[in-house]
């Protein structure tokens, strides 16, 4: 996994966490769900990159 990919995934995860916290604080369920989705996507990308690295 390249450094740029790791940084992008970390940024997407952090943004998702922020959305989730803000959504929870403002009782905005849509924003909270969007944050959880962003975190899930970042996690899936990380797993995919780790698998690619394993088979290099």
């Amino acid at each position: 996994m390249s450094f740029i990919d790791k940084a992008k995934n970390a940024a997407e995860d952090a943004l998702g966490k922020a959305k989730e916290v803000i959504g929870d604080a403002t009782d905005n369920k849509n924003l909270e769900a969007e944050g959880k989705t962003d975190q899930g996507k970042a996690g899936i990308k990380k797993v995919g990159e780790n698998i690619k690295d394993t088979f290099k």
Side-chain angles (χ1 to χ4, degrees):
M1 178 188 280
S2 75
F3 173 76
I4 293 171
D5 290 335
K6 286 181 182 179
K8 285 180 183 178
N9 290 341
E12 186 173 13
D13 187 51
L15 181 61
K17 287 178 184 175
K19 284 181 182 180
E20 183 180 1
V21 169
I22 292 169
D24 187 41
T26 60
D27 200 34
N28 183 337
K29 297 299 178 192
N30 289 333
L31 186 60
E32 189 176 351
E34 186 178 328
K36 288 180 181 180
T37 300
D38 289 349
Q39 290 177 63
K41 287 179 186 177
I44 290 169
K45 288 178 184 177
K46 182 178 177 183
V47 169
E49 290 293 330
N50 288 339
I51 290 170
K52 286 190 333 188
D53 288 346
T54 300
F55 290 105
K56 279 187 174 180

